[in-house]
mmCIF file of all heavy atoms in Angstrom:
data_model
loop_
_atom_site.group_PDB
_atom_site.id
_atom_site.type_symbol
_atom_site.label_atom_id
_atom_site.label_comp_id
_atom_site.label_asym_id
_atom_site.label_seq_id
_atom_site.Cartn_x
_atom_site.Cartn_y
_atom_site.Cartn_z
ATOM 1 N N HIS A 100 29.812 5.499 4.645
ATOM 2 C CA HIS A 100 29.358 6.836 4.973
ATOM 3 C C HIS A 100 28.750 7.554 3.730
ATOM 4 O O HIS A 100 27.722 8.208 3.796
ATOM 5 C CB HIS A 100 30.496 7.645 5.551
ATOM 6 C CG HIS A 100 30.192 9.061 5.890
ATOM 7 N ND1 HIS A 100 29.131 9.423 6.700
ATOM 8 C CD2 HIS A 100 30.774 10.235 5.536
ATOM 9 C CE1 HIS A 100 29.095 10.729 6.834
ATOM 10 N NE2 HIS A 100 30.054 11.255 6.129
ATOM 11 N N LEU A 101 29.413 7.412 2.581
ATOM 12 C CA LEU A 101 28.965 8.080 1.377
ATOM 13 C C LEU A 101 28.518 7.091 0.295
ATOM 14 O O LEU A 101 28.315 7.465 -0.852
ATOM 15 C CB LEU A 101 30.094 8.961 0.823
ATOM 16 C CG LEU A 101 30.479 10.126 1.686
ATOM 17 C CD1 LEU A 101 31.767 10.786 1.136
ATOM 18 C CD2 LEU A 101 29.367 11.149 1.793
ATOM 19 N N VAL A 212 34.651 20.806 -6.718
ATOM 20 C CA VAL A 212 34.828 19.564 -5.954
ATOM 21 C C VAL A 212 34.098 19.664 -4.608
ATOM 22 O O VAL A 212 33.720 20.760 -4.176
ATOM 23 C CB VAL A 212 36.329 19.306 -5.655
ATOM 24 C CG1 VAL A 212 37.082 19.056 -6.957
ATOM 25 C CG2 VAL A 212 36.946 20.448 -4.877
ATOM 26 N N LEU A 213 33.849 18.513 -4.009
ATOM 27 C CA LEU A 213 33.341 18.397 -2.671
ATOM 28 C C LEU A 213 34.502 18.072 -1.767
ATOM 29 O O LEU A 213 35.265 17.131 -1.988
ATOM 30 C CB LEU A 213 32.293 17.283 -2.564
ATOM 31 C CG LEU A 213 31.032 17.444 -3.399
ATOM 32 C CD1 LEU A 213 30.239 16.153 -3.361
ATOM 33 C CD2 LEU A 213 30.167 18.580 -2.827
ATOM 34 N N THR A 214 34.681 18.850 -0.692
ATOM 35 C CA THR A 214 35.721 18.580 0.280
ATOM 36 C C THR A 214 35.151 18.612 1.671
ATOM 37 O O THR A 214 34.115 19.273 1.922
ATOM 38 C CB THR A 214 36.867 19.605 0.199
ATOM 39 O OG1 THR A 214 36.374 20.923 0.484
ATOM 40 C CG2 THR A 214 37.503 19.623 -1.184
ATOM 41 N N GLN A 215 35.812 17.926 2.588
ATOM 42 C CA GLN A 215 35.397 17.881 3.982
ATOM 43 C C GLN A 215 36.619 17.984 4.867
ATOM 44 O O GLN A 215 37.597 17.262 4.648
ATOM 45 C CB GLN A 215 34.649 16.563 4.284
ATOM 46 C CG GLN A 215 34.245 16.388 5.727
ATOM 47 C CD GLN A 215 33.439 15.095 5.944
ATOM 48 O OE1 GLN A 215 32.356 14.943 5.365
ATOM 49 N NE2 GLN A 215 33.973 14.178 6.724
ATOM 50 N N ARG A 216 36.578 18.886 5.837
ATOM 51 C CA ARG A 216 37.683 19.020 6.774
ATOM 52 C C ARG A 216 37.151 18.737 8.177
ATOM 53 O O ARG A 216 36.170 19.309 8.606
ATOM 54 C CB ARG A 216 38.284 20.403 6.756
ATOM 55 C CG ARG A 216 39.575 20.515 7.549
ATOM 56 C CD ARG A 216 40.043 21.950 7.744
ATOM 57 N NE ARG A 216 39.238 22.650 8.715
ATOM 58 C CZ ARG A 216 39.610 23.754 9.351
ATOM 59 N NH1 ARG A 216 40.786 24.315 9.064
ATOM 60 N NH2 ARG A 216 38.833 24.329 10.231
ATOM 61 N N ASP A 217 37.812 17.840 8.892
ATOM 62 C CA ASP A 217 37.522 17.536 10.297
ATOM 63 C C ASP A 217 38.650 18.050 11.170
ATOM 64 O O ASP A 217 39.809 17.738 10.919
ATOM 65 C CB ASP A 217 37.350 16.021 10.519
ATOM 66 C CG ASP A 217 36.012 15.509 9.953
ATOM 67 O OD1 ASP A 217 35.137 16.317 9.689
ATOM 68 O OD2 ASP A 217 35.898 14.295 9.837
ATOM 69 N N HIS A 218 38.290 18.817 12.148
ATOM 70 C CA HIS A 218 39.293 19.397 13.062
ATOM 71 C C HIS A 218 38.885 19.087 14.490
ATOM 72 O O HIS A 218 37.854 19.594 14.977
ATOM 73 C CB HIS A 218 39.385 20.918 12.872
ATOM 74 C CG HIS A 218 40.557 21.565 13.547
ATOM 75 N ND1 HIS A 218 40.901 22.873 13.322
ATOM 76 C CD2 HIS A 218 41.424 21.100 14.460
ATOM 77 C CE1 HIS A 218 41.960 23.168 14.022
ATOM 78 N NE2 HIS A 218 42.293 22.129 14.745
ATOM 79 N N VAL A 219 39.665 18.253 15.159
ATOM 80 C CA VAL A 219 39.367 17.871 16.546
ATOM 81 C C VAL A 219 40.122 18.788 17.493
ATOM 82 O O VAL A 219 41.345 18.943 17.375
ATOM 83 C CB VAL A 219 39.757 16.393 16.802
ATOM 84 C CG1 VAL A 219 39.685 16.087 18.297
ATOM 85 C CG2 VAL A 219 38.834 15.453 16.045
ATOM 86 N N HIS A 220 39.389 19.387 18.436
ATOM 87 C CA HIS A 220 39.999 20.192 19.494
ATOM 88 C C HIS A 220 39.908 19.378 20.766
ATOM 89 O O HIS A 220 38.847 19.136 21.332
ATOM 90 C CB HIS A 220 39.222 21.513 19.650
ATOM 91 C CG HIS A 220 39.261 22.374 18.422
ATOM 92 N ND1 HIS A 220 40.142 23.379 18.214
ATOM 93 C CD2 HIS A 220 38.499 22.325 17.296
ATOM 94 C CE1 HIS A 220 39.944 23.940 17.038
ATOM 95 N NE2 HIS A 220 38.950 23.310 16.444
ATOM 96 N N LEU A 225 36.934 24.324 24.421
ATOM 97 C CA LEU A 225 35.849 24.871 23.584
ATOM 98 C C LEU A 225 34.485 24.605 24.183
ATOM 99 O O LEU A 225 33.590 25.451 24.131
ATOM 100 C CB LEU A 225 35.931 24.329 22.183
ATOM 101 C CG LEU A 225 36.903 24.993 21.210
ATOM 102 C CD1 LEU A 225 36.727 24.405 19.816
ATOM 103 C CD2 LEU A 225 36.703 26.509 21.158
ATOM 104 N N LEU A 353 31.706 12.463 14.644
ATOM 105 C CA LEU A 353 30.582 12.581 13.706
ATOM 106 C C LEU A 353 30.699 11.426 12.717
ATOM 107 O O LEU A 353 31.815 10.858 12.513
ATOM 108 C CB LEU A 353 30.645 13.917 12.972
ATOM 109 C CG LEU A 353 30.405 15.160 13.817
ATOM 110 C CD1 LEU A 353 30.692 16.421 13.018
ATOM 111 C CD2 LEU A 353 28.975 15.197 14.328
ATOM 112 N N PRO A 354 29.604 11.065 12.066
ATOM 113 C CA PRO A 354 29.660 9.951 11.086
ATOM 114 C C PRO A 354 30.741 10.196 10.012
ATOM 115 O O PRO A 354 30.851 11.283 9.476
ATOM 116 C CB PRO A 354 28.275 9.944 10.478
ATOM 117 C CG PRO A 354 27.386 10.552 11.543
ATOM 118 C CD PRO A 354 28.250 11.564 12.213
ATOM 119 N N GLY A 355 31.546 9.180 9.798
ATOM 120 C CA GLY A 355 32.581 9.291 8.769
ATOM 121 C C GLY A 355 33.797 10.058 9.139
ATOM 122 O O GLY A 355 34.658 10.323 8.307
ATOM 123 N N SER A 356 33.926 10.467 10.417
ATOM 124 C CA SER A 356 35.056 11.300 10.807
ATOM 125 C C SER A 356 36.355 10.527 10.915
ATOM 126 O O SER A 356 37.434 11.058 10.674
ATOM 127 C CB SER A 356 34.770 11.995 12.149
ATOM 128 O OG SER A 356 34.677 11.060 13.171
ATOM 129 N N GLY A 357 36.255 9.247 11.298
ATOM 130 C CA GLY A 357 37.462 8.450 11.441
ATOM 131 C C GLY A 357 38.387 8.912 12.584
ATOM 132 O O GLY A 357 39.543 8.499 12.641
ATOM 133 N N ARG A 358 37.891 9.744 13.495
ATOM 134 C CA ARG A 358 38.623 10.204 14.670
ATOM 135 C C ARG A 358 40.014 10.715 14.316
ATOM 136 O O ARG A 358 41.015 10.097 14.622
ATOM 137 C CB ARG A 358 38.756 9.131 15.715
ATOM 138 C CG ARG A 358 37.432 8.758 16.389
ATOM 139 C CD ARG A 358 37.649 7.772 17.500
ATOM 140 N NE ARG A 358 38.474 8.349 18.542
ATOM 141 C CZ ARG A 358 38.015 9.045 19.578
ATOM 142 N NH1 ARG A 358 36.726 9.272 19.676
ATOM 143 N NH2 ARG A 358 38.821 9.540 20.483
ATOM 144 N N PRO A 359 40.121 11.847 13.640
ATOM 145 C CA PRO A 359 41.433 12.438 13.387
ATOM 146 C C PRO A 359 42.118 12.821 14.673
ATOM 147 O O PRO A 359 41.478 12.997 15.705
ATOM 148 C CB PRO A 359 41.125 13.664 12.492
ATOM 149 C CG PRO A 359 39.706 14.010 12.844
ATOM 150 C CD PRO A 359 39.021 12.667 13.142
ATOM 151 N N ASP A 360 43.445 12.934 14.625
ATOM 152 C CA ASP A 360 44.174 13.277 15.826
ATOM 153 C C ASP A 360 43.772 14.648 16.373
ATOM 154 O O ASP A 360 43.399 15.546 15.601
ATOM 155 C CB ASP A 360 45.696 13.296 15.529
ATOM 156 C CG ASP A 360 46.197 11.906 15.141
ATOM 157 O OD1 ASP A 360 45.583 10.928 15.612
ATOM 158 O OD2 ASP A 360 47.156 11.840 14.379
ATOM 159 N N MET A 362 43.653 18.349 17.501
ATOM 160 C CA MET A 362 44.236 19.585 17.021
ATOM 161 C C MET A 362 44.817 19.453 15.586
ATOM 162 O O MET A 362 45.543 20.304 15.131
ATOM 163 C CB MET A 362 45.350 20.082 17.955
ATOM 164 C CG MET A 362 44.840 20.445 19.346
ATOM 165 S SD MET A 362 43.445 21.624 19.308
ATOM 166 C CE MET A 362 44.239 23.064 18.574
ATOM 167 N N VAL A 363 44.455 18.399 14.910
ATOM 168 C CA VAL A 363 44.892 18.236 13.501
ATOM 169 C C VAL A 363 43.694 18.420 12.609
ATOM 170 O O VAL A 363 42.664 17.765 12.804
ATOM 171 C CB VAL A 363 45.519 16.851 13.279
ATOM 172 C CG1 VAL A 363 45.801 16.612 11.797
ATOM 173 C CG2 VAL A 363 46.826 16.700 14.078
ATOM 174 N N ALA A 364 43.795 19.306 11.634
ATOM 175 C CA ALA A 364 42.721 19.480 10.675
ATOM 176 C C ALA A 364 43.012 18.613 9.451
ATOM 177 O O ALA A 364 43.977 18.830 8.741
ATOM 178 C CB ALA A 364 42.610 20.999 10.261
ATOM 179 N N ARG A 365 42.161 17.634 9.231
ATOM 180 C CA ARG A 365 42.351 16.697 8.136
ATOM 181 C C ARG A 365 41.299 16.947 7.051
ATOM 182 O O ARG A 365 40.114 16.932 7.338
ATOM 183 C CB ARG A 365 42.286 15.285 8.694
ATOM 184 C CG ARG A 365 42.489 14.206 7.622
ATOM 185 C CD ARG A 365 42.460 12.825 8.252
ATOM 186 N NE ARG A 365 43.503 12.698 9.272
ATOM 187 C CZ ARG A 365 43.535 11.681 10.138
ATOM 188 N NH1 ARG A 365 42.595 10.761 10.093
ATOM 189 N NH2 ARG A 365 44.522 11.629 11.040
ATOM 190 N N THR A 366 41.771 17.162 5.848
ATOM 191 C CA THR A 366 40.872 17.458 4.730
ATOM 192 C C THR A 366 40.866 16.323 3.731
ATOM 193 O O THR A 366 41.916 15.781 3.387
ATOM 194 C CB THR A 366 41.289 18.767 4.028
ATOM 195 O OG1 THR A 366 41.291 19.846 4.987
ATOM 196 C CG2 THR A 366 40.345 19.102 2.885
ATOM 197 N N SER A 367 39.657 15.998 3.276
ATOM 198 C CA SER A 367 39.495 14.953 2.266
ATOM 199 C C SER A 367 38.695 15.469 1.095
ATOM 200 O O SER A 367 37.771 16.242 1.269
ATOM 201 C CB SER A 367 38.779 13.728 2.846
ATOM 202 O OG SER A 367 39.458 13.221 3.967
ATOM 203 N N GLU A 368 39.108 15.120 -0.105
ATOM 204 C CA GLU A 368 38.308 15.463 -1.310
ATOM 205 C C GLU A 368 37.373 14.312 -1.575
ATOM 206 O O GLU A 368 37.803 13.167 -1.711
ATOM 207 C CB GLU A 368 39.228 15.725 -2.499
ATOM 208 C CG GLU A 368 38.470 16.275 -3.691
ATOM 209 C CD GLU A 368 39.396 16.762 -4.825
ATOM 210 O OE1 GLU A 368 40.284 17.608 -4.510
ATOM 211 O OE2 GLU A 368 39.189 16.336 -5.966
ATOM 212 N N LEU A 369 36.082 14.588 -1.680
ATOM 213 C CA LEU A 369 35.068 13.564 -1.753
ATOM 214 C C LEU A 369 34.562 13.259 -3.139
ATOM 215 O O LEU A 369 33.896 12.251 -3.387
ATOM 216 C CB LEU A 369 33.857 13.933 -0.851
ATOM 217 C CG LEU A 369 34.187 14.255 0.623
ATOM 218 C CD1 LEU A 369 32.918 14.692 1.339
ATOM 219 C CD2 LEU A 369 34.873 13.076 1.293
ATOM 220 N N CYS A 380 28.434 25.566 -1.805
ATOM 221 C CA CYS A 380 27.755 24.987 -0.660
ATOM 222 C C CYS A 380 28.773 24.881 0.464
ATOM 223 O O CYS A 380 29.820 24.265 0.321
ATOM 224 C CB CYS A 380 27.219 23.607 -0.996
ATOM 225 S SG CYS A 380 26.536 22.703 0.407
ATOM 226 N N THR A 381 28.423 25.488 1.598
ATOM 227 C CA THR A 381 29.297 25.442 2.796
ATOM 228 C C THR A 381 28.471 24.958 3.979
ATOM 229 O O THR A 381 27.396 25.528 4.270
ATOM 230 C CB THR A 381 29.877 26.824 3.117
ATOM 231 O OG1 THR A 381 30.668 27.256 2.028
ATOM 232 C CG2 THR A 381 30.716 26.815 4.388
ATOM 233 N N THR A 382 28.949 23.915 4.645
ATOM 234 C CA THR A 382 28.306 23.442 5.854
ATOM 235 C C THR A 382 29.337 23.463 6.987
ATOM 236 O O THR A 382 30.485 22.970 6.800
ATOM 237 C CB THR A 382 27.782 22.018 5.687
ATOM 238 O OG1 THR A 382 26.810 21.980 4.685
ATOM 239 C CG2 THR A 382 27.165 21.510 6.996
ATOM 240 N N VAL A 383 29.000 24.039 8.107
ATOM 241 C CA VAL A 383 29.851 23.980 9.276
ATOM 242 C C VAL A 383 29.090 23.298 10.413
ATOM 243 O O VAL A 383 27.887 23.581 10.628
ATOM 244 C CB VAL A 383 30.349 25.374 9.716
ATOM 245 C CG1 VAL A 383 31.361 25.900 8.716
ATOM 246 C CG2 VAL A 383 29.191 26.348 9.856
ATOM 247 N N ARG A 384 29.766 22.414 11.103
ATOM 248 C CA ARG A 384 29.121 21.670 12.176
ATOM 249 C C ARG A 384 30.034 21.599 13.353
ATOM 250 O O ARG A 384 31.221 21.300 13.230
ATOM 251 C CB ARG A 384 28.771 20.250 11.720
ATOM 252 C CG ARG A 384 28.099 19.450 12.840
ATOM 253 C CD ARG A 384 27.419 18.213 12.326
ATOM 254 N NE ARG A 384 26.764 17.517 13.386
ATOM 255 C CZ ARG A 384 25.992 16.440 13.250
ATOM 256 N NH1 ARG A 384 25.774 15.947 12.038
ATOM 257 N NH2 ARG A 384 25.415 15.864 14.269
ATOM 258 N N PHE A 385 29.468 21.846 14.523
ATOM 259 C CA PHE A 385 30.190 21.815 15.792
ATOM 260 C C PHE A 385 29.542 20.724 16.650
ATOM 261 O O PHE A 385 28.349 20.774 16.950
ATOM 262 C CB PHE A 385 30.091 23.167 16.517
ATOM 263 C CG PHE A 385 30.764 24.276 15.785
ATOM 264 C CD1 PHE A 385 30.147 24.888 14.705
ATOM 265 C CD2 PHE A 385 32.019 24.712 16.161
ATOM 266 C CE1 PHE A 385 30.752 25.925 14.007
ATOM 267 C CE2 PHE A 385 32.649 25.747 15.460
ATOM 268 C CZ PHE A 385 32.033 26.358 14.389
ATOM 269 N N ASP A 386 30.357 19.758 17.079
ATOM 270 C CA ASP A 386 29.884 18.723 17.984
ATOM 271 C C ASP A 386 30.676 18.867 19.294
ATOM 272 O O ASP A 386 31.861 18.490 19.369
ATOM 273 C CB ASP A 386 30.096 17.335 17.394
ATOM 274 C CG ASP A 386 29.387 16.265 18.232
ATOM 275 O OD1 ASP A 386 28.199 16.399 18.476
ATOM 276 O OD2 ASP A 386 30.064 15.299 18.638
ATOM 277 N N THR A 392 36.016 18.443 21.060
ATOM 278 C CA THR A 392 35.022 19.057 20.170
ATOM 279 C C THR A 392 35.492 18.838 18.744
ATOM 280 O O THR A 392 36.641 19.112 18.410
ATOM 281 C CB THR A 392 34.854 20.522 20.448
ATOM 282 O OG1 THR A 392 34.250 20.692 21.746
ATOM 283 C CG2 THR A 392 33.952 21.185 19.423
ATOM 284 N N LEU A 393 34.590 18.321 17.914
ATOM 285 C CA LEU A 393 34.900 18.155 16.501
ATOM 286 C C LEU A 393 34.213 19.234 15.675
ATOM 287 O O LEU A 393 32.998 19.439 15.798
ATOM 288 C CB LEU A 393 34.470 16.778 15.996
ATOM 289 C CG LEU A 393 35.033 16.389 14.613
ATOM 290 C CD1 LEU A 393 35.280 14.916 14.504
ATOM 291 C CD2 LEU A 393 34.088 16.807 13.488
ATOM 292 N N VAL A 394 34.969 19.925 14.858
ATOM 293 C CA VAL A 394 34.443 20.952 13.999
ATOM 294 C C VAL A 394 34.604 20.473 12.550
ATOM 295 O O VAL A 394 35.746 20.266 12.103
ATOM 296 C CB VAL A 394 35.149 22.304 14.184
ATOM 297 C CG1 VAL A 394 34.536 23.354 13.255
ATOM 298 C CG2 VAL A 394 35.091 22.740 15.666
ATOM 299 N N ARG A 395 33.479 20.267 11.881
ATOM 300 C CA ARG A 395 33.528 19.785 10.494
ATOM 301 C C ARG A 395 33.126 20.930 9.570
ATOM 302 O O ARG A 395 32.122 21.583 9.773
ATOM 303 C CB ARG A 395 32.583 18.588 10.317
ATOM 304 C CG ARG A 395 32.336 18.215 8.849
ATOM 305 C CD ARG A 395 31.585 16.909 8.746
ATOM 306 N NE ARG A 395 32.454 15.799 9.207
ATOM 307 C CZ ARG A 395 32.027 14.566 9.410
ATOM 308 N NH1 ARG A 395 30.754 14.274 9.235
ATOM 309 N NH2 ARG A 395 32.856 13.631 9.820
ATOM 310 N N SER A 396 33.907 21.129 8.533
ATOM 311 C CA SER A 396 33.546 22.094 7.483
ATOM 312 C C SER A 396 33.498 21.354 6.153
ATOM 313 O O SER A 396 34.460 20.645 5.794
ATOM 314 C CB SER A 396 34.557 23.242 7.445
ATOM 315 O OG SER A 396 35.868 22.763 7.424
ATOM 316 N N PHE A 397 32.411 21.565 5.449
ATOM 317 C CA PHE A 397 32.153 20.880 4.181
ATOM 318 C C PHE A 397 32.017 21.975 3.136
ATOM 319 O O PHE A 397 31.364 22.988 3.361
ATOM 320 C CB PHE A 397 30.866 20.055 4.294
ATOM 321 C CG PHE A 397 30.411 19.396 3.030
ATOM 322 C CD1 PHE A 397 30.791 18.101 2.738
ATOM 323 C CD2 PHE A 397 29.584 20.059 2.132
ATOM 324 C CE1 PHE A 397 30.368 17.489 1.563
ATOM 325 C CE2 PHE A 397 29.164 19.482 0.961
ATOM 326 C CZ PHE A 397 29.551 18.170 0.693
ATOM 327 N N PHE A 398 32.646 21.757 1.965
ATOM 328 C CA PHE A 398 32.587 22.738 0.916
ATOM 329 C C PHE A 398 32.315 22.109 -0.433
ATOM 330 O O PHE A 398 32.892 21.070 -0.772
ATOM 331 C CB PHE A 398 33.915 23.531 0.858
ATOM 332 C CG PHE A 398 33.972 24.555 -0.225
ATOM 333 C CD1 PHE A 398 33.268 25.753 -0.103
ATOM 334 C CD2 PHE A 398 34.671 24.340 -1.404
ATOM 335 C CE1 PHE A 398 33.294 26.729 -1.087
ATOM 336 C CE2 PHE A 398 34.709 25.315 -2.405
ATOM 337 C CZ PHE A 398 34.037 26.495 -2.252
ATOM 338 N N GLY A 399 31.474 22.742 -1.204
ATOM 339 C CA GLY A 399 31.253 22.392 -2.593
ATOM 340 C C GLY A 399 31.483 23.617 -3.444
ATOM 341 O O GLY A 399 30.800 24.611 -3.290
ATOM 342 N N ALA A 404 39.086 27.373 -4.127
ATOM 343 C CA ALA A 404 38.428 28.047 -2.991
ATOM 344 C C ALA A 404 38.049 27.092 -1.884
ATOM 345 O O ALA A 404 37.343 27.465 -0.961
ATOM 346 C CB ALA A 404 37.185 28.830 -3.474
ATOM 347 N N ALA A 405 38.521 25.861 -1.979
ATOM 348 C CA ALA A 405 38.062 24.816 -1.058
ATOM 349 C C ALA A 405 38.373 25.138 0.388
ATOM 350 O O ALA A 405 37.715 24.649 1.304
ATOM 351 C CB ALA A 405 38.701 23.487 -1.414
ATOM 352 N N GLY A 406 39.383 25.958 0.645
ATOM 353 C CA GLY A 406 39.732 26.293 2.051
ATOM 354 C C GLY A 406 38.791 27.269 2.723
ATOM 355 O O GLY A 406 38.884 27.474 3.917
ATOM 356 N N SER A 407 37.853 27.825 1.965
ATOM 357 C CA SER A 407 36.995 28.885 2.532
ATOM 358 C C SER A 407 36.108 28.384 3.656
ATOM 359 O O SER A 407 35.869 29.065 4.644
ATOM 360 C CB SER A 407 36.150 29.552 1.454
ATOM 361 O OG SER A 407 35.210 28.642 0.918
ATOM 362 N N ALA A 408 35.594 27.127 3.534
ATOM 363 C CA ALA A 408 34.718 26.598 4.604
ATOM 364 C C ALA A 408 35.489 26.437 5.874
ATOM 365 O O ALA A 408 35.007 26.751 6.963
ATOM 366 C CB ALA A 408 34.119 25.268 4.139
ATOM 367 N N GLY A 409 36.741 25.952 5.762
ATOM 368 C CA GLY A 409 37.569 25.819 6.970
ATOM 369 C C GLY A 409 37.896 27.172 7.565
ATOM 370 O O GLY A 409 37.958 27.318 8.802
ATOM 371 N N GLU A 410 38.110 28.152 6.713
ATOM 372 C CA GLU A 410 38.351 29.520 7.237
ATOM 373 C C GLU A 410 37.146 30.049 8.002
ATOM 374 O O GLU A 410 37.320 30.711 9.063
ATOM 375 C CB GLU A 410 38.689 30.447 6.065
ATOM 376 C CG GLU A 410 39.985 30.150 5.353
ATOM 377 C CD GLU A 410 40.109 30.926 4.070
ATOM 378 O OE1 GLU A 410 39.211 31.745 3.766
ATOM 379 O OE2 GLU A 410 41.130 30.715 3.349
ATOM 380 N N ILE A 411 35.949 29.805 7.502
ATOM 381 C CA ILE A 411 34.735 30.237 8.205
ATOM 382 C C ILE A 411 34.645 29.532 9.544
ATOM 383 O O ILE A 411 34.388 30.195 10.584
ATOM 384 C CB ILE A 411 33.490 29.956 7.339
ATOM 385 C CG1 ILE A 411 33.483 30.878 6.131
ATOM 386 C CG2 ILE A 411 32.209 30.115 8.157
ATOM 387 C CD1 ILE A 411 32.402 30.551 5.112
ATOM 388 N N ALA A 412 34.837 28.233 9.580
ATOM 389 C CA ALA A 412 34.767 27.504 10.833
ATOM 390 C C ALA A 412 35.823 27.983 11.819
ATOM 391 O O ALA A 412 35.546 28.185 13.026
ATOM 392 C CB ALA A 412 34.933 26.000 10.586
ATOM 393 N N ASP A 413 37.051 28.212 11.365
ATOM 394 C CA ASP A 413 38.112 28.694 12.248
ATOM 395 C C ASP A 413 37.796 30.086 12.772
ATOM 396 O O ASP A 413 38.098 30.408 13.919
ATOM 397 C CB ASP A 413 39.459 28.711 11.480
ATOM 398 C CG ASP A 413 39.973 27.321 11.202
ATOM 399 O OD1 ASP A 413 39.468 26.347 11.827
ATOM 400 O OD2 ASP A 413 40.887 27.202 10.342
ATOM 401 N N SER A 414 37.173 30.918 11.942
ATOM 402 C CA SER A 414 36.809 32.269 12.382
ATOM 403 C C SER A 414 35.746 32.234 13.473
ATOM 404 O O SER A 414 35.772 33.038 14.399
ATOM 405 C CB SER A 414 36.308 33.100 11.203
ATOM 406 O OG SER A 414 37.366 33.281 10.246
ATOM 407 N N VAL A 415 34.776 31.271 13.365
ATOM 408 C CA VAL A 415 33.779 31.156 14.406
ATOM 409 C C VAL A 415 34.443 30.695 15.714
ATOM 410 O O VAL A 415 34.110 31.221 16.796
ATOM 411 C CB VAL A 415 32.694 30.153 13.967
ATOM 412 C CG1 VAL A 415 31.720 29.880 15.116
ATOM 413 C CG2 VAL A 415 31.932 30.708 12.760
ATOM 414 N N VAL A 416 35.384 29.765 15.617
ATOM 415 C CA VAL A 416 36.078 29.306 16.834
ATOM 416 C C VAL A 416 36.857 30.451 17.467
ATOM 417 O O VAL A 416 36.828 30.645 18.692
ATOM 418 C CB VAL A 416 37.018 28.124 16.498
ATOM 419 C CG1 VAL A 416 37.943 27.793 17.669
ATOM 420 C CG2 VAL A 416 36.211 26.914 16.104
ATOM 421 N N ALA A 417 37.558 31.228 16.654
ATOM 422 C CA ALA A 417 38.327 32.341 17.206
ATOM 423 C C ALA A 417 37.428 33.384 17.839
ATOM 424 O O ALA A 417 37.730 33.929 18.907
ATOM 425 C CB ALA A 417 39.141 32.988 16.061
ATOM 426 N N ARG A 420 36.155 32.241 21.266
ATOM 427 C CA ARG A 420 37.145 32.461 22.310
ATOM 428 C C ARG A 420 37.255 33.937 22.690
ATOM 429 O O ARG A 420 37.488 34.247 23.858
ATOM 430 C CB ARG A 420 38.490 31.910 21.856
ATOM 431 C CG ARG A 420 38.530 30.404 21.783
ATOM 432 C CD ARG A 420 39.815 29.917 21.143
ATOM 433 N NE ARG A 420 39.980 28.472 21.304
ATOM 434 C CZ ARG A 420 40.588 27.680 20.437
ATOM 435 N NH1 ARG A 420 41.106 28.229 19.318
ATOM 436 N NH2 ARG A 420 40.710 26.394 20.649
#
Side-chain angles (χ1 to χ4, degrees):
H100 178 53
L101 294 171
V212 296
L213 296 170
T214 62
Q215 177 177 297
R216 190 191 75 161
D217 285 345
H218 192 170
V219 170
H220 299 263
L225 277 185
L353 293 171
S356 65
R358 292 185 63 88
D360 297 331
M362 297 306 297
V363 173
R365 181 177 300 168
T366 302
S367 303
E368 188 169 308
L369 306 177
C380 173
T381 298
T382 298
V383 288
R384 179 164 183 175
F385 296 79
D386 190 54
T392 293
L393 191 147
V394 181
R395 169 170 292 170
S396 49
F397 175 93
F398 178 75
S407 65
E410 293 169 3
I411 291 171
D413 290 345
S414 296
V415 174
V416 170
R420 290 172 169 149

